[in-house]
Amino acid sequence: MKKSLIILFILLCLSNIVFAKGLPLSTEVTGEDYSWIKGRQMISLNFNPGVSVFSPMLVNTIFTHGKHIAGFLGVNFGTIGDYLNYAEFKGTSWFLPSVTYSLFVHNQIALEAGIGVYGSTYLLNISKENASKLLDSMGHGEYADVIASDTKFRSSFVFMPATFGVKFYGKKRQFYNAFRLGIDAFFYTIETENGLTGIKTSQSVSDAAVYVSYEIGWNIELFPTKEWRVKPMLDIGLLEIGYYVRPWTGNLYSAVQGNLGILTAGFVQLPIPAWEKVPGWAKIISNLRIGLFPRIGVSIRF
């Protein structure tokens, strides 16, 4: 009995020490033990997939309704339009919500680091039968027997953005101004097969781009009157403006332009200029990074 009382007394003392030294339920900084970290950490999930996911949807729409859109706008794509009329296209995409960790070094200043993963695939196919019809429509039906296989274009992209930045909050820690340095890692593969010429190509590229950006938005606390250990918040980014100091567009443009030229050889000639001949103003515009509502997600502060 005496031993049991001693053990119980020791356990009570230990539990008192643990709760006295442990993280309190309040997320406010009060000057107690561990107060330097209490309420200063935040993990955020961004459910906005960005342009890398919306692009396949846009291209699908253009291929499906391109003829009607061109007619509505009064645009004539000529032989390129004829080429696309015989092509089947499918674009798909996927993404994992980007994750950001923030540490408040001041009541209104937070350092952050984040990472995300996005992917997309584009498939274009012209069957042997459609390729024969295309040649007939162009007055080259005598070459129809030369076609050995379907004409195919396949490209897959994996996009991994990583960001490092600092956020400046208002007095209520809701409205913020964020300044970031971003590194976009690209991994893409482009494969083509020309059924008329028999030429096949395969190109795999790893590339990276660097940008600086500014973003404004809100972190809205969902239950401001509750003193919970973990506080849920709603994230809404209003606008992001940035510029790529190490661009990615030139390398990707050249890769796609070269492979498309091989893909369409013998059918049509694509009037796509080399990147070196693209106007300077167009290159500057392509290096801009502009996003409306770039961040729509949730955060937990603890």
Side-chain angles (χ1 to χ4, degrees), residues 228-296:
W228 295 336
R229 172 173 292 185
V230 177
K231 285 195 171 185
M233 310 179 77
L234 179 65
D235 296 341
I236 301 177
L238 178 62
L239 177 68
E240 181 185 24
I241 300 176
Y243 189 80
Y244 282 92
V245 294
R246 186 188 188 281
W248 57 271
T249 47
N251 292 337
L252 179 59
Y253 179 96
S254 298
V256 174
Q257 184 253 355
N259 283 280
L260 284 179
I262 296 174
L263 177 73
T264 59
F267 293 103
V268 296
Q269 288 186 344
L270 295 180
I272 302 178
W275 180 251
E276 293 75 15
K277 296 182 179 180
V278 173
W281 60 266
K283 294 180 180 179
I284 293 176
I285 292 177
S286 69
N287 292 336
L288 294 176
R289 179 185 177 91
I290 301 176
L292 188 63
F293 297 109
R295 184 174 301 274
I296 300 176

Side-chain angles (χ1 to χ4, degrees), residues 125-132 144-152 192-200 267:
N125 184 77
I126 301 179
S127 64
K128 291 178 59 176
E129 294 75 14
N130 282 344
S132 298
D145 294 335
V146 181
I147 300 174
S149 62
D150 293 352
T151 297
K152 305 173 185 178
T192 66
E193 180 179 354
N194 189 314
L196 179 61
T197 63
I199 298 177
K200 299 180 181 180
F267 293 103

Side-chain angles (χ1 to χ4, degrees), residues 48-263:
N48 185 347
V51 68
S52 59
V53 172
F54 289 125
S55 293
M57 300 169 57
L58 177 62
V59 178
N60 281 337
T61 302
I62 293 175
F63 266 84
T64 304
H65 306 287
K67 188 174 182 180
H68 302 289
I69 295 174
F72 177 77
L73 297 176
V75 178
N76 183 10
F77 292 108
T79 56
I80 298 177
D82 296 334
Y83 183 88
L84 296 179
N85 285 337
Y86 292 97
E88 297 177 355
F89 180 86
K90 182 179 181 181
T92 58
S93 59
W94 58 269
F95 81 102
L96 298 177
S98 60
V99 181
T100 302
Y101 171 80
S102 301
L103 176 64
F104 284 86
V105 296
H106 181 273
N107 191 43
Q108 295 172 239
I109 302 175
L111 302 178
E112 65 169 30
I115 190 170
V117 182
Y118 309 87
S120 58
T121 301
Y122 301 88
L123 301 173
L124 184 146
N125 184 77
I126 301 179
S127 64
K128 291 178 59 176
E129 294 75 14
N130 282 344
S132 298
K133 295 177 182 178
L134 173 60
L135 290 175
D136 284 335
S137 68
M138 299 172 60
H140 300 296
E142 66 274 15
Y143 297 108
D145 294 335
V146 181
I147 300 174
S149 62
D150 293 352
T151 297
K152 305 173 185 178
F153 175 89
R154 183 182 188 278
S155 61
S156 60
F157 300 86
V158 176
F159 171 51
M160 297 179 62
T163 59
F164 307 91
V166 57
K167 279 184 177 180
F168 296 93
Y169 285 83
K171 292 183 178 180
K172 295 183 179 181
R173 287 207 296 193
Q174 290 188 354
F175 184 80
Y176 66 81
N177 297 270
F179 298 88
R180 296 192 181 95
L181 171 68
I183 302 174
D184 293 342
F186 294 88
F187 308 92
Y188 55 90
T189 300
I190 302 175
E191 299 174 338
T192 66
E193 180 179 354
N194 189 314
L196 179 61
T197 63
I199 298 177
K200 299 180 181 180
T201 65
S202 180
Q203 183 179 10
S204 296
V205 179
S206 299
D207 199 1
V210 179
Y211 68 89
V212 291
S213 70
Y214 165 73
E215 179 185 318
I216 57 174
W218 293 271
N219 287 130
I220 303 173
E221 198 167 313
L222 297 180
F223 304 98
T225 60
K226 301 294 184 180
E227 281 300 334
W228 295 336
R229 172 173 292 185
V230 177
K231 285 195 171 185
M233 310 179 77
L234 179 65
D235 296 341
I236 301 177
L238 178 62
L239 177 68
E240 181 185 24
I241 300 176
Y243 189 80
Y244 282 92
V245 294
R246 186 188 188 281
W248 57 271
T249 47
N251 292 337
L252 179 59
Y253 179 96
S254 298
V256 174
Q257 184 253 355
N259 283 280
L260 284 179
I262 296 174
L263 177 73

